[in-house]
């Protein structure tokens, strides 16, 4: 059995419904309170019940008029709206007191409006209407704040998504530039077979990357398969000089991470370890599960960083910075990113992220 709709959605989701429910409950409670108060103070009669019922009905109708006027005043300049609201509250209090005094005089059998009766009910009527007005403005202010918070959250989410998409889009042009440049070189050298093979492998790689949204998350197993596609392309350029190795703990295969996160690390390793050395270098990608954390390492056996000398400027500069920003956007403070260099022996990047398993319905293609 399903719960009623009213209990399955936020109370103020439908503002009109919430208003009528609060209005009815509030004045119903006021009527009950007045009836119990009269019953406890003196002998309660049927005439008293009629009088407090009429009083509650009049208050209910007056507050409906107040809600309409207050809604109109909210569209006015702030000072004008405040002054108009105060004046309207004062006028409504006076009308309420006059009507209550007239009701009392009618119940006594002597219809008329007596000043003492009006003055006697002014304080109670003002308290009731002022309290109702305070609740009205308080609830509306709360709804405005909640609406602004919702809008800010949507905007923040859109900004975060846009930034992640921008960071991801930085990768494909970067990789494409280098690969197409290599294909162009092969064509100039009249090595058409190798150029065609590289184009075919590039098409396979792009088919995978374009099938996924820029902000998609993939499993580590999918990311490794993407790296192998990429390395097949680079293997055409470097042949035996490029020596890739993968050491992936099977328990981490379903771990979630942003798509194409590791590709620029491997690309940097090729540029700074394989390219400068005649004998090439090894590139090793490993992943380990440490409790609830996944530790990923991309290392090479290149020259590393020589103290006082930066690596050659062969990159567009989006690699490491891009990865840091993507990790920060995705995992916040729950990640660790560090680089280590052993001059003459190699360079290593370590990433540690929470072990999160992507829901099958949300996994990237």
């Amino acid at each position: 059995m399903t719960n009623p709709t009213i209990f399955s959605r936020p109370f103020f989701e439908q503002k009109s419904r919430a208003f009528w429910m609060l209005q009815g409950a509030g004045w119903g409670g006021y009527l009950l309170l007045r009836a119990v108060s009269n019953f406890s103070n003196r002998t309660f009669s049927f005439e008293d019940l009629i009088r407090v019922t009429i009083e509650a009905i009049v208050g209910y109708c007056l507050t409906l008029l107040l809600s309409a006027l207050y809604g109109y005043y909210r569209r006015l300049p702030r000072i004008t709206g405040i002054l108009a609201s105060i004046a309207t509250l004062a006028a409504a209090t006076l009308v309420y007191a006059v009507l209550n005094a007239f009701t009392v005089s009618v119940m006594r059998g002597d219809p008329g409006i007596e000043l003492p009766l009006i003055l006697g009910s002014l304080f109670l009527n003002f308290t009731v209407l002022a309290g109702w007005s305070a609740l009205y403005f308080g609830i509306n202010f709360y709804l405005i704040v909640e609406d602004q918070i919702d809008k800010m959250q949507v905007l923040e989410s859109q900004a975060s998504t846009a930034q992640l998409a921008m960071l991801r889009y930085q990768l494909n042009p970067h990789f494409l530039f280098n690969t197409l440049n290599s294909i162009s070189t092969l064509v100039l050298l009249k090595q058409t077979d190798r150029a065609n093979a590289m184009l075919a492998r590039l098409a396979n790689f792009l088919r995978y990357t374009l099938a996924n949204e820029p902000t998609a998350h993939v499993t580590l197993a999918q990311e490794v398969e993407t790296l192998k596609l990429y390395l097949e392309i680079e293997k055409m350029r470097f042949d035996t000089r490029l020596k890739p190795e993968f050491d992936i703990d099977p328990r981490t295969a379903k771990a979630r991470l942003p798509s194409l996160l590791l590709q620029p690390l491997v690309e940097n390793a090729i540029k700074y370890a394989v390219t400068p050395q005649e004998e090439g270098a090894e590139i090793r990608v490993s992943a380990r599960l440490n409790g609830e954390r996944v530790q990923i390492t991309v290392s090479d056996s290149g020259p590393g960083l020589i103290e006082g000398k930066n690596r050659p400027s062969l990159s567009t500069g989006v690699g490491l910075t891009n990865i840091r920003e993507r990790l920060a956007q995705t995992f916040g403070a729950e990640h660790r990113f560090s680089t280590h260099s052993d001059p003459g022996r190699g360079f290593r990047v370590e990433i540690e992220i929470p072990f999160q398993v992507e829901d099958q319905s949300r996994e990237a293609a």
Side-chain angles (χ1 to χ4, degrees):
M1 181 177 179
T2 59
N3 292 328
T5 303
I6 186 173
F7 297 112
S8 62
R9 292 186 295 180
F11 182 73
F12 288 108
E13 185 177 4
Q14 294 184 5
K15 296 180 182 179
S16 178
R17 180 197 64 187
F19 172 81
W20 289 109
M21 290 183 66
L22 289 174
Q23 180 79 347
W27 284 105
Y30 175 78
L31 173 60
L32 180 62
L33 181 63
R34 292 282 288 152
V36 171
S37 177
N38 279 277
F39 178 78
S40 62
N41 290 335
R42 54 188 174 85
T43 304
F44 190 70
S45 63
F46 182 70
E47 288 78 9
D48 290 329
L49 179 61
I50 294 177
R51 179 176 59 79
V52 296
T53 301
I54 293 174
E55 182 180 332
I57 292 173
V58 170
Y60 183 92
C61 295
L62 278 175
T63 50
L64 289 181
L65 179 60
L66 284 178
S67 68
L69 292 174
Y70 288 160
Y72 172 75
Y73 296 155
R74 286 165 56 193
R75 297 193 292 269
L76 299 177
R78 179 171 298 179
I79 299 300
T80 304
I82 292 175
L83 294 177
S85 298
I86 293 174
T88 301
L89 174 60
T93 300
L94 181 60
V95 171
Y96 198 11
V98 170
L99 292 177
N100 283 342
F102 181 75
T103 301
V104 171
S105 64
V106 169
M107 298 297 294
R108 289 179 178 176
D110 184 20
I113 300 177
E114 300 178 14
L115 184 59
L117 290 177
I118 296 175
L119 296 176
S121 60
L122 271 177
F123 178 75
L124 176 62
N125 298 151
F126 174 77
T127 302
V128 172
L129 294 183
W132 184 94
S133 299
L135 283 174
Y136 175 86
F137 286 112
I139 291 173
N140 275 279
F141 179 75
Y142 165 79
L143 293 177
I144 291 172
V145 171
E146 285 291 304
D147 186 57
Q148 292 296 322
I149 291 174
D150 291 342
K151 289 180 180 178
M152 287 296 296
Q153 289 176 341
V154 170
L155 290 174
E156 288 176 359
S157 176
Q158 291 175 345
S160 178
T161 301
Q163 185 172 0
L164 283 172
M166 177 192 68
L167 293 171
R168 163 67 187 277
Y169 280 133
Q170 285 180 333
L171 298 177
N172 287 341
H174 183 210
F175 164 67
L176 278 174
F177 174 81
N178 293 327
T179 304
L180 292 175
N181 189 45
S182 297
I183 293 173
S184 175
T185 302
L186 291 174
V187 171
L188 289 175
L189 295 174
K190 300 186 183 302
Q191 299 181 21
T192 55
D193 290 340
R194 296 188 66 194
N196 286 333
M198 185 175 284
L199 278 173
R201 292 173 180 176
L202 175 62
N204 290 333
F205 179 80
L206 292 180
R207 186 178 296 112
Y208 173 85
T209 59
L210 295 176
N212 297 327
E213 296 180 2
T215 58
H217 286 182
V218 298
T219 63
L220 183 59
Q222 290 173 309
E223 183 75 355
V224 169
E225 289 303 313
T226 308
L227 288 178
K228 290 179 179 179
L229 284 174
Y230 168 74
L231 287 168
E232 284 181 6
I233 298 171
E234 296 292 23
K235 194 78 172 172
M236 297 290 296
R237 295 170 56 197
F238 297 99
D239 199 16
T240 58
R241 294 174 61 201
L242 175 59
K243 308 175 185 70
E245 180 183 349
F246 291 89
D247 182 16
I248 308 298
D249 187 338
R251 295 176 298 172
T252 66
K254 288 293 185 180
R256 181 181 69 176
L257 71 165
S259 65
L260 288 183
L261 182 73
L262 304 181
Q263 186 266 339
L265 295 178
V266 175
E267 184 176 2
N268 281 347
I270 291 174
K271 291 174 183 177
Y272 301 131
V274 178
T275 301
Q277 301 185 121
E278 184 177 350
E279 70 277 13
E282 294 180 358
I283 298 177
R284 189 170 189 270
V285 180
S286 64
R288 290 285 178 270
L289 185 64
N290 183 10
E292 296 298 318
R293 311 280 293 178
V294 178
Q295 297 174 336
I296 303 172
T297 303
V298 178
S299 59
D300 62 62
S301 59
L305 288 179
I306 301 175
E307 189 174 355
K309 183 178 180 181
N310 293 327
R311 286 189 167 192
S313 180
L314 302 178
S315 167
T316 60
V318 301
L320 297 181
T321 300
N322 185 296
I323 293 172
R324 284 192 183 94
E325 292 180 356
R326 294 185 73 194
L327 287 170
Q329 285 287 326
T330 305
F331 300 107
E334 295 298 315
H335 80 280
R336 183 177 64 84
F337 180 88
S338 60
T339 59
H340 307 273
S341 178
D342 188 0
R345 295 187 177 180
F347 187 80
R348 184 174 77 258
V349 176
E350 295 180 353
I351 297 173
E352 186 176 290
I353 59 176
F355 179 62
Q356 299 175 349
V357 178
E358 181 66 62
D359 183 74
Q360 293 295 324
S361 63
R362 297 178 55 197
E363 280 190 7

